Amino acid sequence: MRPSFDLIVVGGGIGGTAVGALQAHRGKNVLLVDKNRTLGGRCTSYEKDGCVIDLGVHLFGVGDRGSLGEVCRRVGRPDAIAWLPVTNPILRYKDEIKRYSRRTMQEMVPASEMENLGALFMTLFSLESEAVEQLWYVPLSEWVNRFSTNTLVHAFVEMICGQYFCVRSCRASTAEFIRCFKEVVMARSSAYPRGGCISIPRAYAHVIAAHGGQVVLNTPVRRILVDGGAASGVELADGSRIGARLVVSNVDAKETVHGLVGTQHWPSAYAERVSRLEYAYHALALKVALSEKITDDQLMLYLPYEYEEAFHLAQAALDTGDVPERLGGMITSPTNYDASLAPAGRQLIFFGTACPPRQDWARWEEVLLGTFYHLYPQARDKVLWHRLDTPDLVEAYAGEGGNIIGAAQTVDQIHARRLSQVTPIRNLYLCGAEAGGHGIGTELAAASALELDDILAA
């Protein structure tokens, strides 16, 4: 079979669309194929009653200054994504409302712990690169214990860690946390893309098309073709075959190895390693449309209980599905960034919280909605509709059981212990939040694409 394309990208998430754009800009003939009717994977948007609704609850830690913006700069389109800044983040601890900042956190811990928390923050910024390199495989909670064992100090670190990586601090990498924390604080550019999350993959897809490549949606790939130990193209669900010199899979690693390629083509140790990958945790996202604006909040981080109680309640919820009376999480109002996401005068509020998979979602929805009304009692007669995005919906878009990010950035799956974009099969590469890269969620996926672009250009 003769190659029809220089590069076929399987999957149109952030990593797939980004590497497709980068390679198309280098003059490669690119075909991107995605099973969904819309681009973006977990970072996408859909429409409901005239509103643009993101899948999940997203903000972007370093906005244009990180890897998402670097993709646009590298392809010569620095303004392809319009970023809207986050200007007033709020922390609500029980019923106390404060600005979300390092100073606020220091003021909220016991007086005896203010100096310890201050020392922790200072160390985050002052550690030299060589010292950070020694912390890749040190669990974050273990490192925090060097400064404080206070439960509220750990609560604040846990909250930030959950935002970044969707894993517990006892499993997260200290070095990755330090790097991401410094980048977010120093960049001062947490942001949201105008037009909703789907604006990001659409911008990358436009680059592919502008350079003569093709983006084909609603077209599942049945398998990646391997001949003589090398990838040679793909077979689509209708049985047709398309040849390529290189294939990049933006599908999750387990599905790539065991499904699209087949275990028989891989070294047994590699296939086993991929089988053991552990994912980030799952989340629910309550979406609420209101007839009028009820709050100026852009971003709220909500902790409903004393930390020690919250810890046990959260663990019970994640381990057994026992839902507490109130749920904490991240709450955003996208229309407070971009009013065009809803009809004039209306407001959208999204409320995300961690959860286990395969639950009685009606019960979780009841508690989430009750928590929403507790936070915004003025909303009671103004709700036009609400809906719940569950892990089942995320699974339909992106697979992997509907978890939030993909392979978790834990001490066992980070840095040198992370999958590389280069696979044991010649001409076959991985790209996305599971292979290489650095950063938070979509920024991790874009960083993976930038690294792979460098690999392919070498």
Side-chain angles (χ1 to χ4, degrees), residues 284 305 313-314 316-318 320-327 353-356 359-368 371:
L284 285 176
Y305 300 104
L313 289 169
L318 291 172
T320 68
D322 293 336
V323 192
E325 182 182 351
R326 288 195 185 126
L327 288 162
T353 191
C355 68
Q359 295 295 301
D360 176 2
W361 300 128
R363 170 60 181 153
W364 283 79
E365 183 174 13
E366 177 186 3
V367 175
L368 261 180
T371 305

Side-chain angles (χ1 to χ4, degrees), residues 91-96 108-110 140-142 144-145 148-162 167-171 281 302-316 318 324 326 328:
L91 171 63
R92 179 161 174 166
Y93 177 50
K94 296 185 287 187
D95 288 325
E96 186 178 4
M108 293 176 72
V109 301
L140 178 59
S141 60
E142 179 182 312
V144 173
N145 277 334
S148 174
T149 58
N150 178 266
T151 54
L152 188 53
V153 170
H154 276 264
F156 289 142
V157 174
E158 190 82 43
M159 178 176 62
I160 300 168
C161 178
V167 298
R168 295 287 314 284
S169 64
C170 61
R171 303 193 63 225
Y281 49 58
Y302 178 49
L303 293 171
Y305 300 104
E306 294 281 355
Y307 176 61
E308 210 157 327
E309 182 183 7
F311 174 82
H312 294 299
L313 289 169
Q315 275 301 107
L318 291 172
R326 288 195 185 126

Side-chain angles (χ1 to χ4, degrees), residues 106 111-121 147-150 153:
Q106 285 181 251
S112 60
E113 293 293 332
M114 290 181 66
E115 187 175 335
N116 294 334
L117 185 54
L120 187 154
F121 285 136
F147 300 87
S148 174
T149 58
N150 178 266
V153 170

Side-chain angles (χ1 to χ4, degrees), residues 49-50 53 128 146 189 293 313 350-351 358 413 433:
D49 295 343
I53 311 296
E128 299 291 337
R146 300 178 188 179
S189 59
K293 186 176 182 178
L313 289 169
F350 301 165
F351 183 177
R358 297 178 295 278
Q413 300 179 165

Side-chain angles (χ1 to χ4, degrees), residues 52-60 86 88-90 163 191-192 197 285-290 294-302 329-337 341 347-353 372 375-376:
V52 177
I53 311 296
D54 295 330
L55 180 69
V57 180
H58 295 275
L59 284 175
F60 301 83
V86 179
N88 188 31
I90 290 170
Q163 282 179 267
Y192 182 86
C197 288
L286 178 71
K287 310 299 173 65
V288 182
L290 299 123
I294 64 164
T295 178
D296 291 323
D297 293 349
Q298 291 185 330
L299 167 66
M300 178 193 293
L301 283 303
Y302 178 49
M330 185 170 86
I331 302 163
T332 69
S333 177
T335 45
N336 283 353
Y337 307 107
L341 297 175
Q347 184 167 33
L348 295 172
I349 297 180
F350 301 165
F351 183 177
T353 191
F372 170 82
L375 296 171
Y376 299 110

Side-chain angles (χ1 to χ4, degrees), residues 184-205:
V184 169
V185 174
M186 299 303 289
R188 297 181 182 273
S189 59
S190 295
Y192 182 86
R194 187 183 300 278
C197 288
I198 198 169
S199 299
I200 302 173
R202 277 181 177 167
Y204 299 160

